[in-house]
């Protein structure tokens, strides 16, 4: 019986070997960054999910490990920079960033990559336009449901959305005469 178990253990396909190699690369990179066991497990689980996808083929194991670990950090709200993650395994930053964007669209969570503070942007642009505090407060109140709707539709809320919300708030309440420009 022991002979049969040992023989079955040797029958690992090349795909399984590559998957195991990738999981180990994720775990080693996470260990180098001093993360918890939970993060290592999440990265390994995500690697198993993503490994079978056709858009991952041809990408080096180091890039995959760095991108997946960076994505796990983002999902868990941990603020790690790309260069920190890439520095520990030698992956190319551009390739890693590109794969992270693919992960974001695959998991339908592109807003996690945005480090933008939507309310802060609105306050900044309102103060630059020297708007009344009342108009700024109204704009922020209007921005909340629009931001939630954008997250629901998997949109990244960029400067164009900020400008549109400010213009709508100004026009709805007649705070001042402003053009879209």
């Amino acid at each position: 019986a022991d002979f049969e178990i040992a023989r079955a253990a040797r029958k690992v396909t090349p795909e399984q070997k590559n998957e195991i190699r990738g999981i180990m690369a994720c775990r080693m990179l996470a260990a180098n960054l001093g993360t918890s066991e939970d993060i290592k497990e999440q990265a390994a689980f995500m690697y198993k999910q993503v490994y079978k996808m056709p858009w991952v083929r041809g990408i080096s194991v180091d890039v995959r490990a760095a991108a997946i670990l960076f994505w796990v950090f983002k999902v868990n709200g941990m603020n790690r920079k790309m260069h920190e993650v890439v520095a520990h395994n030698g992956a190319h930053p551009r390739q890693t960033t590109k794969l992270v964007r693919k992960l974001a669209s695959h998991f339908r969570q592109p807003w996690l990559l945005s480090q933008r503070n939507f309310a802060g942007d609105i306050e900044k642009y309102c103060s630059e336009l020297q708007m009344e505090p009342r108009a700024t407060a109204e704009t922020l109140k209007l921005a909340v449901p629009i931001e939630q709707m954008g997250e629901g539709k998997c949109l990244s809320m960029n400067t164009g959305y900020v400008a549109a919300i400010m213009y709508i708030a100004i026009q709805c309440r007649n705070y001042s005469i402003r053009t879209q420009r």
Side-chain angles (χ1 to χ4, degrees):
D2 291 336
F3 177 72
E4 290 297 321
I5 293 172
R7 192 168 159 200
R10 280 187 255 151
K11 292 183 180 180
V12 177
T13 65
E15 291 83 20
Q16 290 171 331
K17 284 182 183 177
N18 287 336
E19 184 178 3
I20 291 168
R21 219 173 103 220
I23 291 169
M24 291 308 298
C26 285
R27 292 184 68 80
M28 286 177 15
L29 180 60
N32 288 343
L33 290 166
T35 61
S36 67
E37 193 62 34
D38 184 43
I39 297 295
K40 292 176 191 175
E41 291 299 320
Q42 286 182 29
F45 178 75
M46 187 165 291
Y47 192 91
K48 288 177 187 176
Q49 283 184 316
V50 172
Y51 179 72
K52 304 270 192 269
M53 301 295 164
W55 43 267
V56 177
R57 303 275 185 234
I59 298 172
S60 76
V61 173
D62 289 339
V63 171
R64 288 182 202 173
I68 288 172
L69 191 60
F70 184 78
W71 179 252
V72 169
F73 286 148
K74 287 293 186 182
V75 168
N76 288 299
M78 299 171 75
N79 194 12
R80 291 286 181 110
K81 303 289 183 198
M82 178 66 74
H83 65 83
E84 289 178 55
V85 176
V86 171
H88 287 279
N89 78 342
H92 193 275
R94 274 196 208 128
Q95 292 173 348
T96 306
T97 304
K98 185 177 178 183
L99 185 55
V100 169
R101 278 192 238 112
K102 284 183 181 179
L103 287 169
S105 72
H106 175 73
F107 289 111
R108 299 184 188 278
Q109 295 177 319
W111 62 87
L112 286 179
L113 297 180
S114 173
Q115 295 184 1
R116 180 175 293 275
N117 180 357
F118 200 58
D121 284 352
I122 289 174
E123 289 175 359
K124 178 178 91 173
Y125 291 121
C126 285
S127 69
E128 282 180 13
L129 291 173
Q130 298 172 348
M131 291 174 58
E132 300 174 20
R134 217 171 31 143
T136 303
E138 192 69 34
T139 305
L140 286 169
K141 197 184 317 178
L142 180 65
V144 171
I146 292 175
E147 184 180 16
Q148 290 170 348
M149 182 181 66
E151 285 180 359
K153 301 259 184 205
C154 299
L155 301 172
S156 61
M157 305 302 273
N158 57 19
T159 311
Y161 281 98
V162 172
I165 290 168
M166 288 173 57
Y167 182 72
I168 290 169
I170 290 169
Q171 292 302 315
C172 288
R173 300 293 185 209
N174 292 326
Y175 285 117
S176 63
I177 309 275
R178 300 263 183 183
T179 62
Q180 285 183 7
R181 181 170 266 212

